[in-house]
Structure formats: C-alpha cells, structure tokens
C-alpha cells in the first residue's frame, strides 16, 4: 500500500529550514593551510606539543594511508573526495588549552548554549565545589569539541575525586602519556582501514576517559562535537578505557552548520573493557544532512570499535542517526573475554537524498560470548538506507549466541531499505538468529490515528517512535527525550 | 429543518486498481440530536464507505452532495478536525500500531481532542484513573492498557478497545461499523451496554450492523436500509425483525419499481 500523499509531500518539502542547528559562529580561527602532506602532520603534532612517539605513529599511519584505496563496497555513492582540498586543522584563535571557562571565547559558549548544552551552568556548579545535594540533579560532564580542538570540559573536579580521568585526548597525551600510549590504536590499529588510517595521521582532538578498577563513574560523560569552519575535516579520536569491575556511560552528540559544500568527518572511537567492566556508549548523530536536493551535508565516515578484553565485560552501543549526507559506520564489539557481552541498538533515519550504510560487527572469540543486534531503519524521500552487519563466531567460541533483528520502515515510494547480514560461524555449538522485517506506515495506521484526533505529524511521530521503541529505551533518559524529538523533526518538520 | 447531522445527495467513488468505482449514489439521511439510528443492508451496498466518508478517509472522492454536522460543513474538515468536533468511528477492523503503548495512545488522542475543544489536558495520573475505570466497565483487564495498540488482541478485545476509546473521547456522534461482528453474546451485551451508557440528549450514533441481535440490546430510534449506494427504506425499530424474517428482497424490489 502506498504511503499517504501528504506525508510524502510533507517529507519531500523538508528542506534546510528544518535543520535548526544550521547556524555558523563568527569566530577567529587558526587554520592550517589546505592539503595533506607529512608537513601538515608535523604541524598538527607541533601545535599539540606532542611527544616524538606520537608523531612517528601519525607518520606511519599516513604512509599506510597513502597506499590504501577508499572503500567502495558500501551502498553509497558520492563524487570523489579531494583530500588535498581540506583544512586538517582549525582551532578557535586564543591561548592554547583553556583551563577554565573564563578563558573560553564567550562566542563559543553562546554557540553551545544555542545547541542546548549549558556548559556555563554546569561548570559553575563544578567550579564552586558541588554540594552533595546538587548531585541529585543528575549532572552530565561535558567535553565540547569545536572543529579541531576541545574547548572545555566540565565537572572535572568531581570526576577526579572519583579517580575518573575525563579530558581532551590532546591533554591526555601530555598528562597521561603512558595510558594513551598503551591503549591508542590497540582496538583500531592505525592502518585498520582507509578512514581510520587518515584519522590516525591527522586526528586533532577528542575525548579520553579512564575509569580505574572498581569505580562506577558517578555521572554520565558527554562529548559534544561541532563542525564550524569551512572546508574543514573533523577527525576526532575518542579513547575510553574501563578497568576491572568499573563502568561508565558515555554520550556523544554532534551538529554542524548548513553549507553547500560537503564536509568530511572521519572519527575513530576505541573502547576497552577489562574484566567485569561495562561501557555504554550512546550517540545521537545529527550532522547537517544536506538540503532536499542533496547539496551539502556531512560525509560521516566513522570507525567505532570496542574490545571486551576481560571476562564478563560488556559493551553496549546505542545510536540514533538522523544526520549526515552519507553515513558509513559500523560500531563493533570484539568479544574476547569469556562470557563477554556485546550489544548494538540502532535507529537510522534517512530523508531527502541522504544515504546511510550502517550496522555492526560482532566478533565472538571467547567462550559463551553473547551479542544482541537490534537495528531499526527508517527511510523517507529519495533516501537509501542499508543495514550491513557481520556476526563472526571463531572456532574457540563455544556456546556463543547471537540474536539479530533488523526492521525497516519505508515512508513514500522513492526510498530504499536494504539489509545485508554476513554470518560466519566456525563453531558448531554457536547459536545465531536473524530476523528481518520491512514495512510501511500504512494509510490505515495514519487514518486510524487521525480519526482519534491526532494531527498527521503527531501520528507519524507516534508510529515511528513505536517502531523505534526497542532502541530508544536503551538510551539514557534525557537523551531518549532528545532523540524522540529529533526523529519527529527529521521526518516531519514543515508539516502544518 | 437543520438537524444534528444532515446528509444530502451524497455521492462518492473510489479509485480501485485504476478504475473509478461509484459507491455512494445519492445518500440522504438525517439524524437528530440524542438519537441512535441503525443502518442495515446487503454486503457491498456502501455502508462502510458511508462511515469512512463521514470520518474523512481520503481514498474516497466525494463527487456530489453535502454533509452538515452541527451546522458545519463536515466535508471541508480534516479527519482530526472531525474528531475534535465530536465525530468518532469505531472501526470494523481496528488497526494495529506496533510499539505504541495503548494507554499512551489513548492519552495522546484524548489530550489532542481536549486541546482542540479548549479543555485542559489530563495528566498521566488522572488519565490512567479514568481509563482504568472505563476499562473495568467494559470488563477489560487493566493489562490491556499496557499492551501495544490492538497488537495481538483477539477480535473481541479489539472491539472492546474501540468502545473504550469512544468512552474516553466523549464524542457527540459515534459511528459503529459492524462493531458486533465476531462477538459472542456476552461480549455483544457488554459492547452494547458501553454504547447505551453514552446515550444522552447530546449523543447520537449511527450503528452499522448485519444482525438484529445487536439491536435487541441497542434499541435504535430509526432503521435505514441501504442498498446500491442509497437509502432505500426507513422505519422504526420493528424493521429489524422484518429484515430478519424476510431479508432485503422486498425492499430491493420496491426500490427497483420506484
């Protein structure tokens, strides 16, 4: 049955106007010249005052990258990216490494306020020694990354008292070099793939989290990424290490201004979970998706991988992807520790001309490892969305179990949804289940809701949120509310 | 005279597989406030189409005629505006909404309608209290409020859920499209009682049914026979027994002759 004409039209009408984070901040920038050579890398490394070993690591990654080809197996198409036509370093001009909010450009703070990230308020709480009672407000520590550098990290003091390190990775390189050196590239090696190699060569900032043995991180940690400068690639690198019996919940959000030209975002996220450790990594990705004709938007080529090194460790990826012109992203779990658990919950929304090829990889190495994959795909307009997932069970992974469920929801008759599951089992005792459905929002459902008094917008929102419920309920409370609103905005915007 | 609901010369067609099909061919029908009217008629006569057109389903194109509802031109209104104005349709086959919690759906609907009617919205606690009480009167388990809308409901549960929605939305005009089909005697009585509870000088209903049995519990003020897209005969509640005995043949023959 065809979807309702109005919905289709409304969805098609969705243009730039509905992307309310599309503003640009006027701010003095320190830009590296365009282009990528060894000199660019030396410049970045020097700007960051990095040790020799890191520069060598970057250069090795760069040489590896030069010999690599862009992957073409994903179901996305775009004109070739000119990697020499980008700035690889862009930082708000000011004293390097702000230590407190007073040193941060007020224009930046206003930007984050517009984005709904009240750094100021939170930092004030942190700055004046948080009274015990204030913890009841469920604070979230935020690391804000503006183009290439981290501009501010809040709540550091409270975290320090708990023994948790949460800081920009550039600072971690200076302050905790041994930790960074031990774990950087240990999950995603420098030469892992084309974009990961590029990231390793030129990454500029990102977050570093270290939760020591037995510590439950006392608050949610959050990084907010904002691309602002023109012709700039953002290459952030996040490293999260959680020791035995420790746990952390980490949130990631991202936006960018509206631009005609495409911008490149190639991040790497590495997670390490030791024995009985648990990491919950949630993303609400809302990079600028381009206009209704597919002009502009972010190319989001991201490598995210977690290693469950210790027995009974657990890594859970939850993502709500509504932005980007192109998404190429497969948050994965390497289930090495005996009885370790990997989870992937995903909602991917594409509209207009967006393309998304996203999914996960679950690599079962240890005995009795378990993984769950719930992927919800919503396609509207002329967009194309693909779930691509790998479940691999190695010979020693006796008792491994996987459950995969992929559901696609189509709105209109010009969009596409595809499911590409790869299943490789080399252990006879493994149990792998895969379920997949494709459905449309039917005329019947919309009419039923409207007959009960709901507007068409609210009806679509209700149905889509119902469709995504299994994933949304995995998000931390506040994030879930934000994600619900985002789903509604991405799909309906200009109706009424 | 302007009635509560006035349907005059209503014609409607549907585009089925590329072919225009005329279904309503000049329906005339008036319902005064506070009255319950029944529509009976052979399969394919246009009864459900009439229900859909009144509720604003867009698959049907109205080609002639008018519908006035409480002085307003009903055909100009969006489905949700009709709902806010007090029109409720109990679906013959209630629709499933996977992942949508029944209580949440009901509250969203009730508050949308209350907003449109200029009433205060109900908070979650007040709403649940009202909904639980209403469910109890329909012999529904409170568990049904926690389930997804109509998903995995039995036929009878779906119909009761429709009546529950009707009770909570407090319409001034309800259309029940074969709400009795597939119900056992007990369920039938419960559903009929649900409708009877709403009866008041400000509540009217149009009950589409094939069976006289429902009309034993839900005694209508008038019965209309619909065939071939038109109302061909109208009478009092005694008409139901006559149809039960004789079928529609005589009415059809009379209509042909006229």
């Amino acid at each position: 049955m065809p979807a309702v004409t109005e919905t289709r039209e409304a969805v098609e009408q969705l243009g730039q106007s509905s992307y309310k984070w599309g503003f640009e901040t006027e701010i003095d920038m320190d830009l590296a010249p365009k282009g990528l050579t060894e000199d660019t890398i030396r410049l970045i490394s020097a700007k960051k005052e990095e040790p020799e070993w890191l520069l060598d690591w970057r250069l090795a990654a760069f040489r590896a990258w030069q010999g690599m080809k862009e992957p073409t197996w994903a179901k996305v198409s775009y004109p070739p990216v000119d990697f020499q036509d980008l700035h690889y370093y862009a930082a708000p001009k000011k004293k390097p490494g702000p230590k407190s909010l007073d040193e941060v450009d007020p224009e930046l703070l206003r930007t984050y306020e517009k984005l709904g990230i009240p750094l100021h308020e939170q930092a004030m709480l942190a700055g004046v020694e948080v009274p015990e009672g204030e913890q009841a407000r469920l604070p979230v520590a935020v690391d804000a990354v503006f183009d290439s550098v981290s501009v501010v990290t809040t709540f550091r003091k409270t975290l320090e008292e708990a023994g948790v390190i949460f800081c920009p990775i550039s600072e971690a390189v200076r302050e905790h070099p041994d930790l960074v050196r031990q774990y950087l590239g240990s999950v995603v090696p420098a030469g892992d793939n084309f974009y990961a190699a590029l990231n390793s060569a030129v990454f500029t900032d990102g977050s570093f989290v270290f939760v020591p043995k037995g510590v439950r991180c006392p608050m949610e940690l959050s990084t907010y990424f904002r691309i602002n400068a023109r012709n700039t690639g953002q290459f952030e690198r996040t490293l999260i290490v959680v020791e035995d019996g420790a746990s952390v919940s980490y949130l990631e959000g991202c936006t960018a201004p509206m631009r005609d030209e495409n911008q490149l975002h190639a991040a790497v996220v590495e997670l390490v979970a030791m024995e009985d450790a648990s990491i919950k990594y949630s993303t609400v990705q809302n990079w600028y998706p381009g206009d209704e004709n597919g002009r502009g938007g972010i190319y989001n080529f991201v490598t995210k991988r977690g290693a469950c090194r210790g027995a009974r460790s657990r890594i859970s990826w939850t993502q709500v992807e509504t932005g980007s012109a192109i998404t190429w992203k497969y948050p994965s779990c390497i289930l090495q520790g005996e009885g370790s658990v990997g989870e992937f919950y995903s909602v991917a929304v594409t509209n207009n001309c967006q393309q998304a090829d996203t999914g996960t990889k679950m690599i079962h190495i240890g005995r009795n490892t378990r993984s769950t994959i719930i992927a919800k795909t919503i396609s509207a307009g002329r967009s194309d969305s693909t779930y691509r997932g790998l479940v691999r069970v190695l010979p020693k992974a006796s008792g491994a179990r996987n459950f995969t469920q992929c559901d696609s929801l189509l709105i209109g008759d010009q969009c596409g949804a595809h499911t590409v599951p790869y299943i490789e089992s080399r252990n006879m005792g493994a149990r792998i289940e895969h379920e997949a459905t494709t459905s449309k929002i039917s005329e019947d459902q919309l009419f039923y809701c409207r007959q009960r008094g709901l507007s068409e917008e609210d009806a679509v929102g209700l149905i889509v949120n119902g469709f995504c419920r299994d994933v949304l309920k995995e998000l931390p409370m506040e994030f879930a509310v934000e994600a619900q609103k985002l789903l509604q905005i991405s799909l309906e915007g200009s109706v009424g | 005279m302007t009635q509560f609901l006035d349907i005059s010369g209503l014609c409607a067609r549907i585009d089925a597989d590329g072919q225009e099909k005329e279904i309503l061919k000049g329906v005339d029908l008036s319902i005064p406030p506070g009255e319950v009217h029944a529509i009976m008629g052979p399969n394919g006569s246009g009864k459900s189409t009439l229900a859909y057109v009144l509720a604003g389903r867009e698959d049907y194109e109205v080609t002639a005629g008018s519908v006035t509802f409480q002085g307003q031109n009903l055909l100009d209104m969006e489905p949700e505006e009709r709902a806010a104005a007090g029109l409720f349709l109990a679906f013959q086959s209630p629709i499933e909404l996977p992942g949508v919690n029944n209580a949440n759906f009901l509250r969203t609907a009730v508050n949308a309608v209350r907003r449109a009617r200029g009433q205060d919205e109900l908070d979650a606690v007040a709403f649940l209290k009202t909904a639980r009480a209403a469910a109890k009167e329909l012999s529904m388990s409170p568990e049904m409020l926690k389930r997804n809308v109509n998903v995995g409901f039995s036929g009878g549960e779906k119909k009761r859920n429709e009546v529950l929605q009707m009770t909570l939305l407090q319409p001034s005009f309800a259309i029940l499209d074969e709400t009795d089909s597939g119900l056992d005697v007990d369920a039938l009585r419960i559903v009929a009682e649900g409708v009877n509870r709403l009866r008041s000088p400000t509540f009217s209903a149009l009950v589409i049914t094939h069976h006289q049995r429902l009309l034993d519990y839900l005694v209508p003020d008038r019965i209309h026979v619909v065939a071939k897209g038109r109302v061909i005969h109208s009478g009092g509640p005694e008409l139901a027994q006559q149809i039960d005995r004789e079928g529609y043949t005589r009415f059809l023959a009379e209509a042909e002759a006229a």
Side-chain angles (χ1 to χ4, degrees):
Chain A
M1 177 176 288
V4 165
T5 321
E6 277 71 13
T7 314
R8 205 160 55 223
E9 283 166 2
V11 162
E12 280 162 5
Q13 273 169 25
L14 258 185
Q16 303 194 339
S17 57
S18 56
Y19 188 75
K20 66 171 182 169
W21 303 270
F23 56 86
E24 181 177 353
T25 306
E26 290 286 338
I27 206 157
D28 269 349
M29 294 300 285
D30 186 5
L31 274 177
K34 274 186 181 177
L36 181 54
T37 61
E38 287 202 5
D39 288 343
T40 323
I41 292 162
R42 287 177 199 284
L43 175 87
I44 293 170
S45 196
K47 287 256 185 208
K48 300 263 164 199
E49 300 165 36
E50 286 176 357
E52 195 65 24
W53 66 265
L54 190 52
L55 175 62
D56 291 343
W57 191 76
R58 287 175 178 279
L59 290 172
F62 178 65
R63 284 169 206 137
W65 178 74
Q66 283 178 309
M68 295 168 98
K69 286 201 167 64
E70 261 185 277
T72 52
W73 42 261
K75 194 175 166 18
V76 293
S77 63
Y78 53 96
V81 177
D82 183 354
F83 290 96
Q84 297 304 333
D85 193 36
L86 289 175
H87 293 289
Y88 286 85
Y89 183 81
K93 235 181 222 167
K94 41 133 210 61
K95 296 155 277 177
K99 288 286 173 290
S100 76
L101 278 174
D102 302 337
E103 291 177 43
V104 177
D105 190 324
E107 193 61 36
L108 266 181
L109 292 182
R110 272 195 288 277
T111 300
Y112 282 102
E113 256 169 50
K114 266 199 227 174
L115 293 167
I117 325 269
L119 296 174
H120 215 267
E121 182 192 283
Q122 300 193 3
M124 268 165 44
L125 277 171
V128 285
E129 294 299 307
V130 190
E132 278 304 303
E134 291 286 345
Q135 292 289 354
R137 296 181 57 175
L138 280 179
V140 178
V142 179
D143 183 21
V145 178
F146 198 80
D147 290 327
S148 302
V149 297
S150 172
V151 288
V152 65
T153 309
T154 61
F155 274 119
R156 294 173 66 159
K157 198 157 186 151
T158 319
L159 290 170
E160 264 165 37
E161 280 163 17
V164 175
I165 302 171
F166 178 41
C167 66
I169 198 159
S170 52
E171 185 186 314
V173 167
R174 291 193 301 271
E175 309 284 329
H176 313 281
D178 295 343
L179 280 176
V180 176
R181 197 169 181 179
Q182 184 182 350
Y183 290 106
L184 186 75
S186 73
V187 186
V188 180
D192 186 79
N193 66 67
F194 184 83
Y195 301 112
L198 179 63
N199 174 286
S200 302
V202 302
F203 78 88
T204 37
D205 223 327
S207 301
F208 175 74
V209 176
F210 179 81
V211 188
K213 256 183 200 172
V215 173
R216 293 183 52 153
C217 186
M219 61 180 77
E220 309 260 359
L221 304 184
S222 169
T223 299
Y224 207 88
F225 295 107
R226 172 85 180 162
I227 297 179
N228 191 61
R230 263 169 208 285
N231 298 316
T232 307
Q234 186 169 24
F235 305 95
E236 82 269 3
R237 184 120 196 159
T238 299
L239 175 60
I240 300 177
V241 179
V242 179
E243 288 197 326
D244 295 356
S247 68
V248 70
S249 170
Y250 184 91
L251 321 173
E252 176 199 273
C254 11
T255 60
M258 300 184 303
R259 303 217 184 275
D260 287 346
E261 69 270 30
N262 295 103
Q263 282 176 287
L264 181 63
H265 174 252
V268 171
V269 175
E270 295 178 278
L271 312 182
V272 179
M274 309 307 278
E275 210 169 286
D276 293 305
S278 137
I279 303 176
K280 187 171 173 60
Y281 193 104
S282 313
T283 305
V284 171
Q285 186 265 108
N286 187 30
W287 295 119
Y288 178 54
D291 70 9
E292 67 270 31
N293 296 313
R295 224 177 10 249
I298 303 290
Y299 289 168
N300 192 31
F301 301 142
V302 174
T303 304
K304 290 185 169 174
R305 195 175 300 155
C308 284
R309 298 235 165 107
R312 298 169 304 278
S313 55
R314 172 188 290 259
I315 289 180
S316 177
W317 299 99
T318 305
Q319 57 172 25
V320 174
E321 305 270 325
T322 64
S324 297
I326 299 176
T327 300
W328 180 98
K329 177 180 170 190
Y330 315 89
S332 307
C333 296
I334 297 169
L335 304 168
Q336 197 177 342
E338 188 170 332
S340 58
V341 176
E343 294 169 319
F344 175 74
Y345 302 98
S346 167
V347 170
V349 181
T350 54
N351 194 1
N352 296 319
C353 298
Q354 280 177 272
Q355 305 172 62
D357 193 304
T358 182
T360 183
K361 287 189 271 187
M362 294 289 173
I363 314 293
H364 292 258
I365 299 173
R367 289 156 55 88
N368 298 321
T369 45
R370 283 177 290 142
S371 62
T372 303
I373 300 171
I374 310 276
K376 306 276 181 177
T377 301
I378 300 157
S379 318
R382 285 170 283 156
S383 67
D384 220 342
S385 187
T386 303
Y387 167 81
R388 187 183 302 277
L390 168 68
V391 177
R392 175 179 287 158
V393 179
L394 297 181
K396 288 190 178 147
S398 296
R401 277 188 293 159
N402 162 264
F403 174 75
T404 302
Q405 185 178 336
C406 301
D407 298 320
S408 311
L409 186 69
L410 303 172
I411 301 177
D413 52 11
Q414 296 180 61
C415 54
H418 318 271
T419 301
V420 190
Y422 303 79
I423 298 171
E424 302 171 10
S425 178
R426 282 187 254 157
N427 184 302
M428 292 296 283
R431 203 168 85 208
I432 299 170
E433 292 173 66
H434 182 98
E435 290 179 9
T437 65
T438 302
S439 55
K440 280 190 167 189
I441 292 187
S442 71
E443 293 262 13
D444 286 336
Q445 288 176 324
L446 280 178
F447 179 64
Y448 190 66
C449 293
R450 294 179 74 189
Q451 207 303 302
R452 298 304 184 246
L454 273 65
S455 68
E456 187 165 27
E457 280 189 8
D458 289 345
V460 171
L462 196 74
I463 294 166
V464 165
N465 276 308
F467 176 74
C468 301
R469 204 180 55 115
D470 293 346
V471 173
L472 296 180
K473 71 178 199 302
E474 295 296 328
L475 286 172
M477 193 58 174
E478 287 136 88
F479 238 36
V481 174
E482 189 185 326
Q484 279 191 15
K485 283 190 208 142
L486 200 56
L487 286 178
Q488 199 124 345
I489 290 164
S490 322
L491 285 169
E492 307 155 46
S494 55
V495 180
Chain B
M1 189 189 91
T2 307
Q3 298 273 22
F4 173 76
L5 178 81
D6 259 319
I7 305 171
S8 169
L10 186 65
C11 296
R13 66 183 179 201
I14 190 166
D15 182 9
D17 300 323
Q19 286 206 317
E20 301 280 356
K21 200 173 160 204
E22 205 77 33
I23 299 182
L24 300 185
K25 299 168 184 168
V27 173
D28 295 304
L29 185 67
S30 288
I31 302 178
E35 289 197 2
V36 172
H37 287 204
I39 285 188
M40 302 183 80
N43 289 327
S45 56
K47 303 187 296 291
S48 288
T49 298
L50 178 62
Y52 276 142
V53 169
L54 291 178
R57 175 114 198 186
E58 282 149 359
D59 307 2
Y60 299 92
E61 187 193 348
V62 174
T63 51
S66 66
V67 181
T68 314
F69 177 59
Q70 294 178 305
Q72 290 177 279
N73 179 355
L74 190 72
L75 299 177
D76 269 357
M77 297 158 75
E78 296 292 334
E80 58 269 34
E81 293 170 339
R82 300 181 198 203
L87 186 147
F88 180 91
L89 169 63
F91 282 57
Q92 190 178 342
S93 313
I95 309 298
E96 298 183 359
L97 301 175
V100 180
N101 172 276
N102 205 17
N104 183 34
F105 173 69
L106 280 166
R107 188 161 83 93
T108 309
V110 166
N111 281 336
V113 164
R114 288 182 72 94
R115 250 194 331 270
R117 291 175 190 167
Q119 297 165 321
D120 286 340
E121 294 188 26
L122 293 180
D123 64 44
V125 177
F127 170 79
L128 267 182
K129 210 173 151 195
T130 317
R132 285 209 189 101
K136 200 176 170 195
E137 290 205 307
L138 292 164
S139 306
M140 287 169 73
S141 120
E143 282 301 303
M144 291 196 36
L145 291 169
K146 296 181 190 163
R147 286 160 63 181
N148 292 338
V149 181
N150 294 326
V151 177
F153 285 28
S154 71
E157 285 173 333
K158 284 184 181 174
K159 296 297 173 79
R160 276 184 225 199
N161 200 33
E162 293 291 287
V163 178
L164 174 67
Q165 295 182 38
M166 178 171 77
T167 308
L168 294 171
L169 287 166
Q170 301 180 323
S172 55
F173 176 54
I175 306 165
L176 290 95
D177 188 1
E178 295 195 23
T179 302
D180 55 334
S181 64
L183 292 184
D184 61 38
V185 189
D186 293 333
L188 188 76
R189 204 184 54 243
I190 290 164
V191 165
E193 280 167 4
V195 179
N196 280 333
R197 265 195 297 275
L198 293 176
R199 283 181 106 153
S200 80
T202 55
F203 172 81
S204 304
L206 187 61
V207 181
I208 299 171
T209 181
H210 276 298
H211 308 290
Q212 179 229 323
R213 210 171 53 188
L214 175 68
L215 304 180
D216 290 343
Y217 296 108
L218 198 66
V219 183
D221 297 288
R222 299 282 290 168
I223 296 181
H224 309 278
V225 178
V226 170
K228 296 182 177 168
R230 289 190 302 120
V231 176
I232 58 167
H233 189 89
S234 297
E238 70 286 351
L239 203 56
Q241 279 94 0
Q242 193 188 341
I243 291 169
D244 210 37
R245 280 194 314 271
E246 303 171 14
Y248 299 111
T249 328
R250 212 188 88 206
F251 303 115
L252 287 167
E254 279 174 10
E256 290 288 324

